[in-house]
Amino acid sequence: MLRMTNSTVGIIGAGAMGSGIAQVAAQAGWNVILIDQSLDSLEKSQAQLTKVCNRLVEKNRLTSQESSALQQRILRFTAFDHLAPCTLIIEAIVENKEVKQRVFAQIEEIVSNECILATNTSSLSVTGLASSLKHPERFLGLHFFNPAPLMQLVEVIAAMQTNPEHIDRCNAWMNAWKKVPVRAKDTPGFIVNRLARPFYGEALRIVEEELASPAQVDDAMKSVGFRMGPFELMDLIGNDVNYAVTVSVFEAFYFDPRYRPSLIQKKHVEAGWLGRKSGRGYYRYDGQPGESITEATGELSWIHQRIVALLINEAADALSMRIASAQDLELAMTRGVNYPKGLLTWANDWGIASVLDQLQALQNRYGEDRYRPAPILRDMAEKNLLFDLGTS
Ligand code: NAI
């Protein structure tokens, strides 16, 4: 299962993401230099990896020799000067532009000119980060998902300055790491964090209007194949984290109403009802009875139709803006967030004209720009076309 290569990756930040990425790289046979300013983080990261490896050995997924080889392949330091032999650097430190830029400036002084520098940022502009480098052409985004060893998707993001050859190399490396790389334009939320916004936003809107309860919305989405409903998922992710991503995407898109955050989510954050981690979110996890909530009556398929139509609209818009290829948009949602099928496939199956009808009905009802259909959907419905999902 493990392969040996002489390649060395430097990973900066030994938190949740950096530690997971280090495991992925070491499992693929790469040598890893894991750097963190905090010795405590490095020690915790090492202890966590030992626990994970022991579990893999128990489950016969690794032999004990492989387990110790994997662990020995990761060296941990607090000082950056150990990064000199690296061919690739992946930064996974605090989500702060100035701190990241300072760290990359330090790294550029140590690594060779051939070394590729990547950030795991979720919300900062890759182009903006690249701009402070001496060699911005070797900078790009490698956006892993949490937990990195389990989630297959990696979004590979070119800054405006990036040399395309480096994108190809990273794509090949991610394949060798047994990941599913997709190429995304450097736009807010990249693919997944942009396309998934209506899953939460429209669910919140339905509940905000008291058209249905969180449990009804969750049931509706699970009835069409989603593993978790939006409210269960927000409670798992944490309302604070989910709200922060929504605010960041909303601001980055110059306050486009499609991404407008929800007041009820804000109130949940203010109340400290963050979800599972705080014992209470949209559901209660502290054994106390929940509040009585307005429930919808009658036929409830409108719930998933409304949310899925908005998800498809987002995917169609991203495709027409060339954020990614149709195939990569599909892979991103099925491998990154485990959607039951890709959103463009869903549009083809449902019928583009029906999706358009849904969106137009919502736009007529609310008169809001939030529901404007992507022009590509109108064009395709008029010409009776389907999304072409055959090529990347
Ligand atoms: P974390 O808070 O778990 O870990 C960050 C680590 O970086 C800490 O151990 C900290 O000591 C270290 N650090 C901070 N500043 C440093 C510096 N100047 N030099 C060296 N080490 C430093 O954070 P997490 O969740 O691992 O996130 C890291 C990055 O990955 C962020 O940019 C985040 O936006 C991104 N990301 C996070 C995801 C998640 O679900 N947590 C998913 C995808 C991306």
Side-chain angles (χ1 to χ4, degrees), residues 276-349:
R276 284 180 179 274
K277 64 184 172 188
S278 71
R280 180 172 189 172
Y282 302 104
Y283 297 98
R284 297 200 71 139
Y285 305 93
D286 54 6
Q288 299 299 311
E291 61 204 298
S292 62
I293 289 175
T294 310
E295 295 245 324
T297 51
E299 213 274 316
L300 297 181
S301 58
W302 62 269
I303 298 177
H304 66 73
Q305 284 170 1
R306 177 166 166 171
I307 297 172
V308 172
L310 283 164
L311 286 167
I312 290 171
N313 199 34
E314 206 51 55
D317 203 49
L319 181 68
S320 63
M321 302 269 185
R322 308 274 189 271
I323 302 304
S325 68
Q327 206 175 52
D328 280 359
L329 289 172
E330 300 294 87
L331 275 177
M333 302 318 279
T334 50
R335 305 297 180 89
V337 272
N338 294 324
Y339 279 19
K341 56 181 162 181
L343 293 168
L344 302 175
T345 305
W346 211 318
N348 284 350
D349 292 351

Side-chain angles (χ1 to χ4, degrees), residues 3-12 21-22 25-26 28-35 72-77 80-90 107 111-112 114-117 142 169 173-174 177:
R3 291 178 308 106
M4 285 303 294
T5 74
N6 293 320
S7 302
T8 302
V9 58
I11 297 174
I12 323 298
I21 299 167
W30 280 50
N31 300 316
V32 179
I33 312 278
L34 182 57
I35 307 276
Q72 279 163 18
R73 230 170 271 143
I74 303 179
L75 302 179
R76 297 173 180 79
F77 303 100
F80 283 65
D81 40 7
H82 297 276
L83 294 170
C86 294
T87 41
L88 169 68
I89 300 285
I90 303 176
I107 294 170
V111 297
S112 75
E114 284 68 50
C115 177
I116 294 180
L117 307 183
L142 283 178
R169 273 179 89 192
W173 282 337
M174 291 305 107
W177 289 14

Side-chain angles (χ1 to χ4, degrees), residues 200-208 231 234 262 264-265 282:
Y200 313 107
E202 204 51 24
L204 285 159
R205 174 79 187 244
I206 289 169
V207 168
E208 194 163 30
F231 293 95
M234 284 185 280
S262 152
I264 46 169
Q265 188 167 37
Y282 302 104

Side-chain angles (χ1 to χ4, degrees), residues 28 79 123-124 154 162 167 198 216 255 276 303 312 352 377 387 390:
S123 62
L124 300 172
V154 179
T162 311
I167 295 288
Q216 286 179 315
F255 308 103
R276 284 180 179 274
I303 298 177
I312 290 171
I352 310 285
L377 289 177
F387 286 108

